[in-house]
Amino acid sequence: MTKDVIALTERMPDALSVLAGLLAGGPDLLVETTGEGAVVQLCDAEGRPLVSIEAPLMLQVPGEAARLLGPGAEPSGDGPAWWIEARATTGVPQAEQLAGAFAARLTMLLGGRVWPPDAPGTVGAASPVDVSGLTAVPVPAAAQPAVDMLTDEAAVVLQDRPVVPMTSWLSEALRATVESDRSLQIVTPPHCRLSLPTRMVLQSTPSRWVVQDERCGYYDGLTGAVLRWQDGAFSPDRDESGETPVADAFTEVRPTGERQLVVSFRTLHQPEADLVLGGALEAAWQALTGGPPAGWGTSEPAGLTWSRRQLTDLAYERAPQPTWTVVVGTPDRPAVATLRVIRTSEGVEEDVTLTVGYGPGEELPLEALPKLAGELVTRHGLKTMMCQLREARRDLSAPPSFEHPPLPYAFVLGPAEVQEAGRDTASRTPLKERPVQLGPSARPGFYYPLGDGETAESWTALGQLVRHLRGAPPL
């Protein structure tokens, strides 16, 4: 299934080195560009793409290649690396060889390494790949480089890599499928995992993670539902009673002692000329990890060094359209956030979900949460915040097996929301623990402890709190 080949080079690719890579198929192939020059395609004589090559991405963030490709993926140089991804057209063996030969030629000229190291075409890359009589699949299925099969119901993408990231290709495929009222369906072998941003996006859109399984055929990697191909898409199978069975592979899990702390919050700012975004996320990162974020980007890998000013400039350029970004940490403390900037009638909102991973025996900085909430209330325009705990992988990737849902640990209301609920209502709740007042007395926020975050009782406490704040009678 592997058809994505990545060249991780130690030096910046220039026009001559890219041209040398493109000549891996000899002079008979056509070279075209799409996406305003962002994607270069090697095409057959009919102009149908065989290999699509995305523009080089500079990785200034240490550990980002290893996070997505596994140990040993980082180039050996001390400086930044360049990530050049080549995607071969499905079902054409020579296309995979072309992608591998392109990547191998780049690394021979610029230093670095190819992922996967055993990709077809990487051995003997100095000789052109035999493309005589080679043809690609017809358009429109190959018109979108990330899509392997297109039906009226779904766009199917095949992936075989340690972690499936939310690459710019995958993001573009998702946008196109949503706009065409299709479902994006990512098909992987059982050893693949999803990056945290990919899992979050799939859960919030009409998309599906389809996992191949030797026992049942296919199942949903996020729910375990057994799937079958019907009417142009993978959909839940039904047994004789009309129920959808759960794949055995999905339930075969063992506790590892790994945990995640998930902090989700919204802030609101007035659209002033000197507004600089990202301050709330930076404060949360500092409070929970002891340092600032390492990098960010509009897709994965996140190649840019963290910069609030650059983030603000990008959001300003894209306004009034929303801006979605990925923010990453350092290898010693896995942390990933998604940040969405939205222009509303009230001002500029930042919608953040920050997740930090911990191994067995590592202490979670739960005592830092009330202080963090206070800082967000007084300095960063906090509206609401939810803190949750879950049993899940330290590296933050999602395996195709059951993971416990997060449990609420604390909830926070900002000053405007306190005023809307009524100060008396917000300060006197039916919960066992009294809320902690945050910020100035004249315009306070409140931090609500919900339990230990380890039992379902915390959901009960959250339900009681929400009903109380909305003025609903208790159950």
Side-chain angles (χ1 to χ4, degrees):
M1 184 183 291
T2 297
K3 59 181 181 174
D4 299 338
V5 183
I6 300 166
L8 293 159
T9 66
E10 297 173 0
R11 299 193 299 279
M12 182 178 69
D14 55 15
L16 289 177
S17 59
V18 173
L19 178 60
L22 292 174
L23 289 174
D28 296 330
L29 295 181
L30 301 177
V31 178
E32 297 182 355
T33 61
T34 63
E36 299 181 351
V39 176
V40 177
Q41 293 181 328
L42 283 172
C43 304
D44 63 14
E46 307 255 341
R48 294 176 295 199
L50 297 164
V51 176
S52 299
I53 302 157
E54 191 159 306
L57 173 66
M58 183 169 67
L59 295 183
Q60 304 179 60
V61 184
E64 188 65 353
R67 179 176 75 88
L68 300 176
L69 300 178
E74 298 283 347
S76 56
D78 296 331
W82 277 262
W83 175 297
I84 309 99
E85 188 156 347
R87 184 170 180 82
T89 296
T90 305
V92 184
Q94 295 97 321
E96 295 185 30
Q97 295 177 0
L98 276 173
F102 166 81
R105 286 189 171 203
L106 280 187
T107 56
M108 283 192 298
L109 292 170
L110 303 173
R113 60 189 65 190
V114 175
W115 183 93
D118 58 350
T122 54
V123 177
S127 302
V129 177
D130 182 8
V131 295
S132 56
L134 183 60
T135 58
V137 295
V139 179
Q144 162 58 257
V147 173
D148 298 290
M149 181 185 299
L150 196 64
T151 72
D152 291 339
E153 301 297 326
V156 179
V157 175
L158 306 180
Q159 291 279 271
D160 185 359
R161 48 208 297 174
V163 177
V164 179
M166 185 49 60
T167 62
S168 56
W169 278 350
L170 193 56
S171 178
E172 175 62 20
L174 177 65
R175 182 198 61 78
T177 54
V178 170
E179 290 181 354
S180 63
D181 293 325
R182 290 181 172 94
S183 168
L184 179 67
Q185 303 195 332
I186 302 174
V187 182
T188 75
H191 60 259
C192 296
R193 292 169 276 122
L194 301 185
S195 74
L196 179 61
T198 301
R199 176 176 65 81
M200 293 175 65
V201 168
L202 260 59
Q203 289 178 320
S204 62
T205 59
S207 304
R208 191 182 297 279
W209 180 17
V210 182
V211 181
Q212 293 178 320
D213 181 71
E214 60 183 12
R215 287 174 285 184
C216 70
Y218 298 93
Y219 70 92
D220 189 306
L222 297 177
T223 68
V226 174
L227 307 172
R228 67 184 178 97
W229 181 262
Q230 50 188 342
D231 300 325
F234 287 99
S235 55
D237 197 4
R238 307 287 181 185
D239 58 22
E240 295 179 354
S241 63
E243 300 293 327
T244 298
V246 175
D248 291 338
F250 185 77
T251 60
E252 293 171 350
V253 295
R254 295 180 180 178
T256 64
E258 297 171 286
R259 292 185 294 172
Q260 296 174 3
L261 170 60
V262 185
V263 180
S264 303
F265 55 88
R266 275 196 169 191
T267 62
L268 176 65
H269 314 281
Q270 295 306 307
E272 300 170 346
D274 59 349
L275 173 64
V276 180
L277 301 171
L281 174 57
E282 189 173 85
W285 213 290
Q286 183 75 43
L288 301 180
T289 72
W296 73 289
T298 56
S299 60
E300 293 181 288
L304 298 172
T305 302
W306 171 248
S307 169
R308 292 179 57 194
R309 171 49 61 188
Q310 290 181 356
L311 170 68
T312 304
D313 290 344
L314 177 65
Y316 179 81
E317 291 172 6
R318 293 188 172 185
Q321 297 300 315
T323 296
W324 182 88
T325 58
V326 176
V327 186
V328 298
T330 55
D332 60 310
R333 171 55 63 212
V336 175
T338 59
L339 186 156
R340 190 167 183 258
V341 180
I342 314 162
R343 185 72 169 90
T344 70
S345 59
E346 295 181 277
V348 181
E349 286 191 6
E350 293 180 276
D351 190 350
V352 176
T353 297
L354 167 61
T355 306
V356 188
Y358 301 87
E362 290 185 308
E363 291 291 332
L364 279 66
L366 302 179
E367 72 286 347
L369 293 174
K371 183 178 179 180
L372 168 61
E375 182 176 358
L376 298 183
V377 163
T378 56
R379 297 184 56 191
H380 299 287
L382 182 73
K383 296 185 69 177
T384 60
M385 181 168 80
M386 173 70 77
C387 305
Q388 299 174 289
L389 304 178
R390 67 183 313 212
E391 297 178 27
R393 293 176 63 101
R394 182 182 187 270
D395 65 11
L396 309 183
S397 64
S401 56
F402 174 76
E403 288 189 313
H404 290 278
L407 293 171
Y409 180 77
F411 183 72
V412 183
L413 273 188
E417 283 62 36
V418 168
Q419 185 175 9
E420 181 179 346
R423 180 164 179 167
D424 286 345
T425 298
S427 61
R428 299 171 182 171
T429 74
L431 302 182
K432 295 179 181 179
E433 293 189 56
R434 296 184 58 184
V436 179
Q437 181 174 312
L438 309 170
S441 299
R443 190 173 166 78
F446 284 98
Y447 174 95
Y448 303 94
L450 299 174
D452 58 10
E454 296 182 359
T455 66
E457 293 180 359
S458 58
W459 279 117
T460 302
L462 178 62
Q464 290 177 329
L465 175 63
V466 171
R467 289 191 297 272
H468 172 77
L469 294 175
R470 291 176 175 174
L475 296 180

